Amino acid sequence: MIPLIITLLLPLISSLLILFMNKENVKLIKYFTLISSLITFLISLFLLFNFNNTNPDIQYYINVTWVSSLDAGFRIGLDGMSLLLVMLITFISPIAILSSFDSIKTREKEYYFMILLLQFAMVGVFTALDTFLFYIFWELILIPMYFIIGIWGGKNRLYATVKFFIFTMVGSLFMLVAIIWLGNYVGNEILKTGFTTDYLKIKEVANLIPLNYQNWLFWAFAISFFIKVPLFPLHTWLPDAHTEAPTAGSVILAAILLKMGTYGLIRFNLEFFTSASIANASLISIFAVIGIIYGALVAAIQTDIKKLVAYSSVSHLGFVVLGIFSMTAIGIQGAIIQMVNHGLSTGMLFLLVGIIYERRHTREISEYGGIARIMPVYATFFAIAMFSSVGLPGLNGFVGEYLTLIGAFTSPILNSWGYAIAASTGVIFAAVYLLWMYQRVFFGTVDNPSNLNLKDLSKREWAFLVPIVIFIVWIGLHPSTFTNISENSTRKLVNKIENVKFGITPYPELLKNSNLKTNSNQINNNKIGK
Amino acid sequence: MEIQVLFSLPLIIASFFAVFMPVFDAILKKNKQIIFLFTLLNFLLVIVADIFIFASPEFFTGVLKSGLENSDFGKFLSDAVSLGGYTSFFDLLFAIAGILTLFAAKDYLKKESYELKEFYSLVSFSFAGMLFIAHANNLLILFLGIELMSISFFVLSGFFRNNILSIEASLKYFILGAFATGFLIFGFAMLYGATGSLELKVIAQKISFNQVTPIYFALAIGLIFVGLAFKASTFPFHQWAPDVYTGAPTVVTGFMSTAGKTAAFAAFIVITKAIFLSNLVIDNATVNPPVIAITRNSREILAIIAALTMLVGNITALMQTNVKRMLAFSSVAHAGYILLGIVSNNSNGWSGIVFYAFAYVFMQIGAFVIVSLIEKENGSNLNLSDYNGLSKSHPFLSASMAIFMFSLVGLPPFAGFFGKYYLFLSVIQSGYLWLALVAVIASIISIYFYIGLIINMYFKEKEGEPLTVQCKTSGISIILSLIGVIFLGIFPSLLMNPLLNLFK
């Protein structure tokens, strides 16, 4: 319990301390931020080691009353899936901070304040077990990210940051209405104990909501998550935001912010609105597959390396969504491990793009060529990240994509091979656009004289790239270290889905004295009819 | 007896200061400092009195109500004004708004070289008017309060008597306001005709016992709503607001658009609590169908007005390049949000209104104080582009402004978010889901212009000389507002729980 509180609050406390530091003393601010995030990482390791893999339920559960009139509490806790993602945050944050030591040269105090505030909000999103608290953290992320892109971003940053802000806010405000409606319905109509936002309470009974209401709620939550993922066709903010954000911003955006959407889909949509999820699975999977192929094709024609990586995210996240809506244990496990993989490999690609951008101040592919001869170490790291992103067996990307594809292939809910077959072409396209880009940048002759004097990686850059490589190889060779953590919680969820699908009422004792019996029977009949 | 004196203390203090302020004014001649402190004392004493009221054991138990009836003095009071309960929160709200305005006004008036002592007496008068509105238990007292407040505002908005815009604002406000008052008083007369009483308690009783004439009753509601809608600047009676708010001195605009608006909504609460049937009565159908229909229809109409107010206010604010005017239009939209609480007509709605009003006072006055600091002589330096690069030259001001803007948008963890949350909750509970969705769409529209100001402050560079800002006492207002916005955002229960208890 205590490690969880520290993991959550230490970044917030440090960020507030930064406010009291002298603006001129940049070194102190930098190292203070780095050390604070490293300590957070070390403390979060306790969470990992004390975690009981065999227990599918929420662990480290903390419940403190906060707004009593709304039954909103400070309820946080972790299960297997959220533990993996929290570890990803605490692991990526020091790397992102270290990577910005040289690239951020103006208004450092505000920058490191924002980064730590962002870390606090991110951990909050993945640990919150209260719809109200979740919403607060979800919105809190917007503020630091808005400033990070807007102040330290590239040329077109204003457009990108406003677009990012408005897209996210549009989705989340509808989610807010859904959260209120859900709390009111569950609290006053089903449980009759008054308005509630307790995640565990709602989870138990949310499936008793009639299917037509569930559908609306499902979409209100899902649209907000799809914008964040981003799922085709709601992805248009992503390339702009990614391209304009500073390196650390892109890394955090890719590694963690996008996962908020997919996490939300599993955490809320599948858990709360299982029937509606089953009903909409095929439709969403179609969009996921379109996203996979579309993202890959658009990535192939980009001339800007960063934009190419950004579009590859659209494609990769398509696999995650496909895995989630296959609603099989293997597919969801694949989706979870793919979230981590994407965080590592795309995060690393953004770091590498940032490294070369700092040296040459351009990201145009045509400006480069033959870099492998000048920066051999850099080229090697880039190759590892790229192969991980392509999905080369032996590296992490393969594991995630393989599992999600198997999930989609065997899914009784999607009930068609078409999804998996179409999606697997995305893997081929990924190889095409990434290898082609690699060839144009790193091989060939050095025909641009300004590339001749590029320095290879510095010690600091080694320091933040090596840890990522270790995990890329580790997940690739021995994925069960990581999949074991989330396996039991995933199985429990899939069990629930199967119960709902085959019409077994999950909580018969609750229904005995309730007038909702007819509704839930109706849902079951509908499903059997299908 | 003591209890009744204690509970009526805020009213007594405010009336005393309002009446004697011009006298002190005359005695003290030119000592502005003392008259400033004197006004401050007025607000502080009201707050202290309210703290004593909150601390008294009778506050929550409801002993007060029965105790009041027992003595002659109590009976005399209770026919005219209601004491304790939610009214104390309104006292507190108006006093806080007054203090925030006062500190900002000192800097601002000095800068514009208009520091006349009359300003302070006028603020005290309007303050007393607001208290009477919130405490009203009788249509005449309510009317008295509304007039006292409005007339002070007519003068205050024309306070810069050499500035043509200020004079225009004053005149416009006065002529239209007088017209609206006509509607209001005619509505009160009709209500008297329909029920035969001016006391709100008696009116409520007569309505639930079927002793009303439906046709007069319907006319009364319509006329009263026109009058109040004007005071609260809701669509379609909002046309005066932007011009008046832009022309009036900035600190006055801050005060009018928060405390003044809240007072109008207090009047709304006082009246609708009496004349709207509660959901329970409607469900049991113990009342004449026509009366039920009137309640239902008027709530529908209010819902439509609320929806249009939010949309029109925010859409027109989108087009503005003048910050003061943008805030003026957006304050129209905020009236729409607050109206949600009236539409929902339940305890969540009313307490949501008070909570939102608190949040709104802090964030809106805070924003106006900063606008008043940036402003230069004769209302120049008010455009969005004048805020470029403010974050570099004045990091504290721009960070505060950013927090106020985020709070106005409704981002957590600031007070504005909770206000919206409670109001959305109340309308959803009373079955107006569509209204909550319209409110959401309106909020989405408002994002653009609120964060637009942040773009100017943080992401754009200033060309030419950096701004110089004289910030002495205004800093106190800004810090108090910041504390309010953040504190209510993190511990909303402290205000919300007592409110919910009181409105039950």
Side-chain angles (χ1 to χ4, degrees), chain B residues 306-326:
Chain B
L308 289 172
T309 309
M310 292 183 284
L311 289 174
V312 169
N314 279 331
I315 290 171
T316 35
L318 272 182
M319 318 291 173
Q320 308 305 323
T321 52
N322 179 315
V323 177
K324 203 168 159 189
R325 212 170 164 80
M326 177 196 94

Side-chain angles (χ1 to χ4, degrees), chain B residues 97-128:
Chain B
I99 289 176
L100 296 179
T101 309
L102 206 59
F103 279 119
K106 190 147 175 54
D107 267 1
Y108 179 71
L109 294 178
K110 202 175 266 170
K111 184 171 75 179
E112 305 276 335
S113 27
Y114 255 107
E115 202 187 4
L116 305 175
K117 289 174 292 179
E118 287 77 9
F119 181 84
Y120 301 111
S121 357
L122 285 167
V123 169
S124 304
F125 264 118
S126 63
F127 175 65

Side-chain angles (χ1 to χ4, degrees), chain B residues 1 9 22 36-37 45 48 66 81 83 93 172 184 189 194 213 219 265 272 322 347 354 360 415 430 437 453 465 482:
Chain B
M1 183 72 186
L9 213 49
F36 168 80
L37 290 175
L45 279 179
V48 171
S66 51
V81 290
L83 299 172
L93 176 71
K172 217 171 211 169
L184 195 63
T213 332
L219 269 175
F265 278 103
T272 54
N322 179 315
S347 64
V354 181
Y360 187 57
S430 56
L437 290 174
L453 187 58
E465 288 278 296
L482 272 182

Side-chain angles (χ1 to χ4, degrees), chain A residues 306-334:
Chain A
K306 209 170 178 186
K307 226 169 190 160
L308 186 146
V309 182
Y311 273 107
S312 82
S313 286
V314 177
S315 177
H316 283 129
L317 267 296
F319 282 103
V320 180
V321 175
L322 184 64
I324 292 171
F325 281 94
S326 74
M327 296 190 174
T328 52
I330 207 162
I332 295 178
Q333 276 289 71

